[in-house]
Amino acid sequence: MIDFSTIEYLKTGNPRQILAFEVLTQNKVLENIAEFTPVLAGTIPINIDIENSDLDIICYWENKIDFKEKLKAVFGKENGFSLRETKIHEQESVIANFRIEEFEIEIFGQNIPVYNQNAYRHMLIEYKILQLKGEKFRQKIIRLKQNGYKTEPAFGVLLGLKNDPYQELLEYKF
C-alpha cells in the first residue's frame, strides 16, 4: 500500500507523477501550507489521470479566515489564482485554483481532518479497487474519463453502482 501522507512515492512513479513531484517540491507548494496538513489526492497519485487532470491538494483548517489569508499570501500571485467558498454536503469549503508550470492546482480545505475528507477516502477506495481489478480496468477508467466522465461516476459505471457513485464508493464492499 502506498503511503499517501507524503508525496515521496511520486519520485518513482510514471513520468507525470515524477513531474508532479518536481513541481510541488521545487515550488514548495505543500511545504508552504504545511500547517494545514496538505495531502495530494485525486487521480495523479493513483495513476488514472488524463491530460488535463489537476493536482488536487486537500487541507484541514480550523480557522477558515487564516486558511484563506495563507492561500492568498502564498499563491495569490500565481497564474490564474482564484479563491472561493462553497458548501459541500453542508460543510464549509474553501477552494483555491491556480497554475504552476504544467499543472493546474486545486487546493481544497475543510474543517475536517484530511484523512476523513471524502476526497481522501474516495482515493483510497479507488486505489484498492484498481489493485484488485487490474490494468484493463484502469485503462477503462481512463477511457471513460477521456470521454468526459468524472472519476467517481466512471467507477460507478464499471462497478455497476446504481445510485450516487460518490456515496456508494464510500460504502463499497470488497
Side-chain angles (χ1 to χ4, degrees), residues 91-167:
Q91 183 65 41
E92 288 186 57
S93 305
V94 174
I95 303 169
N97 295 91
F98 53 92
R99 183 172 196 86
I100 296 180
E101 299 177 34
E102 294 85 355
F103 290 100
E104 292 288 334
I105 297 176
E106 179 171 284
I107 299 179
F108 178 92
Q110 291 183 323
N111 186 14
I112 298 173
V114 289
Y115 302 114
N116 296 334
Q117 289 185 27
N118 285 347
Y120 185 79
R121 294 173 60 209
H122 281 145
M123 180 180 69
L124 286 186
I125 291 163
E126 291 159 2
Y127 176 74
K128 289 177 189 172
I129 292 168
L130 290 165
Q131 298 302 300
L132 289 170
K133 301 272 187 190
E135 181 63 16
K136 285 183 180 175
F137 184 87
R138 186 182 79 81
Q139 290 299 328
K140 288 179 184 177
I141 291 287
I142 290 170
R143 274 195 294 286
L144 285 172
K145 290 178 60 55
Q146 289 168 332
N147 288 322
Y149 280 82
K150 293 283 195 184
T151 303
E152 286 76 9
F155 274 85
V157 166
L158 293 183
L159 296 172
L161 304 180
K162 302 292 182 223
N163 298 304
D164 177 0
Y166 294 90
Q167 186 58 42

Side-chain angles (χ1 to χ4, degrees), residues 11-168:
K11 287 197 286 194
T12 57
N14 66 40
R16 190 153 157 89
Q17 290 171 325
I18 293 168
L19 183 60
F21 177 83
E22 291 169 356
V23 168
L24 291 171
T25 304
Q26 290 166 4
N27 292 282
K28 299 182 179 179
V29 174
L30 302 176
E31 186 178 321
N32 283 328
I33 55 172
E35 68 263 37
F36 301 104
T37 326
V39 171
L40 182 65
T43 61
I44 290 173
I46 60 174
N47 194 22
I48 55 169
D49 56 297
I50 58 176
E51 187 176 318
N52 61 351
S53 293
D54 60 3
L55 291 171
D56 294 311
I57 299 167
I58 57 174
C59 293
Y60 167 52
W61 50 260
E62 293 183 33
N63 182 308
K64 179 174 64 173
I65 293 168
D66 289 349
F67 182 61
K68 288 170 59 178
E69 290 303 315
K70 181 71 172 204
L71 292 175
K72 284 188 249 183
V74 174
F75 304 114
K77 291 183 173 57
E78 297 297 343
N79 192 12
F81 179 83
S82 68
L83 183 67
R84 64 188 169 95
E85 289 184 48
T86 189
K87 280 201 174 191
I88 299 175
H89 303 296
E90 300 304 312
Q91 183 65 41
E92 288 186 57
S93 305
V94 174
I95 303 169
N97 295 91
F98 53 92
R99 183 172 196 86
I100 296 180
E101 299 177 34
E102 294 85 355
F103 290 100
E104 292 288 334
I105 297 176
E106 179 171 284
I107 299 179
F108 178 92
Q110 291 183 323
N111 186 14
I112 298 173
V114 289
Y115 302 114
N116 296 334
Q117 289 185 27
N118 285 347
Y120 185 79
R121 294 173 60 209
H122 281 145
M123 180 180 69
L124 286 186
I125 291 163
E126 291 159 2
Y127 176 74
K128 289 177 189 172
I129 292 168
L130 290 165
Q131 298 302 300
L132 289 170
K133 301 272 187 190
E135 181 63 16
K136 285 183 180 175
F137 184 87
R138 186 182 79 81
Q139 290 299 328
K140 288 179 184 177
I141 291 287
I142 290 170
R143 274 195 294 286
L144 285 172
K145 290 178 60 55
Q146 289 168 332
N147 288 322
Y149 280 82
K150 293 283 195 184
T151 303
E152 286 76 9
F155 274 85
V157 166
L158 293 183
L159 296 172
L161 304 180
K162 302 292 182 223
N163 298 304
D164 177 0
Y166 294 90
Q167 186 58 42
E168 287 188 69

